[in-house]
Amino acid sequence: MSSNARHVPVMLQRCLDMLAPALTEPGAVVVDCTLGAGGHSEALLKTFPEARLVALDRDPTALDLAGTRLAPFGERATLVRAVYHELPEVLERLGIPKVQGVLFDLGVSSMQLDEADRGFAYAQDAPLDMRMDQTTGISAAEVLNTYAPGDLVRILRAYGEEKQARRIVEAVVRERAKEPFTNSARLVDVIREALPQAAKRHGGNPAKRTFQALRIEVNAELASVEAAIPAAVAALAVGGRIAVLSYQSLEDRIVKQVFAAGAATTAPPGLPVVPERYQPRLKLLTRGAELPTEEEVAENRRAAPARLRGAERIREDIP
């Protein structure tokens, strides 16, 4: 199966519709902060022929593959190796003061899940790596083998929302004393053995929350999201729009909080007239988080956990 066929962009048409009002004018700039295999970026370039694309990804493999896919668009597409929280520095280097559209498709990409040697997927045995950029940082195996038990418990609870974190970590610590962890299959087996039967009856693969937690820790994902979403809002011109796809509650909660704060007045209570500088900066484009349709989930199972939120910049910051 070709990469284009395998990596189906999630909620593609809804994302395009949400961004469309901001991207029709010549010279509009749209940023795809999570390039991946390039599906969303390709659709943006095709749908908005007057727009220029800036696309970010920390994964060199993704940049190579997407670069080939987007080559027909020539200078309209600028691909940059960067983590999405580095958006302000990227735009400054490119001489772009404000943008008209921003898209985030958070979490691990389908391409990374499909590459067995990356170690993201608990359904197949692979080296426990999980780094989105394999040229830097520590691997998931290093986290498992070197972190103190208390830190591992904290990570599993905070990033995986794993109720059985202490039980899993006790088993991991016992096993790593015998032999360091190197591959995913052994970790999955240890987790299965550690959990009580009741915990294994519901919620799919019992290893998924641990794998999510390790991936978030290895790639500092939540810290990046916490910095990136406000930075993207700040980069929007008035009338610009942002769309964010999240796949787990921790990411979605951050997006919700940033958008809600931007859409609220900051005036002290009791003012008879709210001055302009206290007025909301954002208008919400979704009521809560939008979900994929049943038809899309049937066609693309990876769309199932997706949550889409959008907002429009309606005024500049006033000091």
Side-chain angles (χ1 to χ4, degrees), residues 104-119:
F104 285 88
D105 186 9
L106 297 172
V108 63
S109 75
S110 295
M111 181 188 64
Q112 290 163 335
L113 285 170
D114 289 339
E115 296 296 328
D117 62 353
R118 305 297 292 272

Side-chain angles (χ1 to χ4, degrees), residues 117-150:
D117 62 353
R118 305 297 292 272
F120 287 103
Y122 42 76
Q124 51 193 341
D125 191 24
L128 272 169
D129 193 307
M130 297 194 194
R131 290 173 295 171
M132 293 181 182
D133 178 354
Q134 291 184 304
T135 67
T136 186
I138 65 170
S139 68
E142 290 175 89
V143 171
L144 278 175
N145 294 324
T146 65
Y147 275 30

Side-chain angles (χ1 to χ4, degrees), residues 9-17 39-41 43-44 103 245 296:
V10 172
M11 299 182 75
L12 176 59
Q13 191 57 51
R14 184 65 188 104
C15 289
L16 295 174
D17 292 344
H40 282 111
S41 282
L44 287 165
L103 173 66
L245 282 161
E296 179 172 4

Side-chain angles (χ1 to χ4, degrees), residues 203-232:
N205 193 305
K208 69 179 183 180
R209 289 177 294 275
T210 297
F211 272 64
Q212 173 181 298
L214 289 171
R215 192 199 79 221
I216 290 173
E217 171 68 12
V218 165
N219 297 290
E221 289 178 43
L222 290 186
S224 289
V225 173
E226 287 174 340
I229 304 301

Side-chain angles (χ1 to χ4, degrees), residues 14 18 242 259 283-290 308-311:
R14 184 65 188 104
M18 187 176 288
I242 178 172
F259 283 7
K283 178 178 73 174
L284 301 183
L285 300 175
T286 53
R287 181 174 294 180
E290 290 189 7
L308 175 64
R309 295 182 187 270

Side-chain angles (χ1 to χ4, degrees), residues 94-107:
L94 295 174
I96 301 173
K98 292 288 182 180
V99 302
Q100 284 65 48
V102 180
L103 173 66
F104 285 88
D105 186 9
L106 297 172

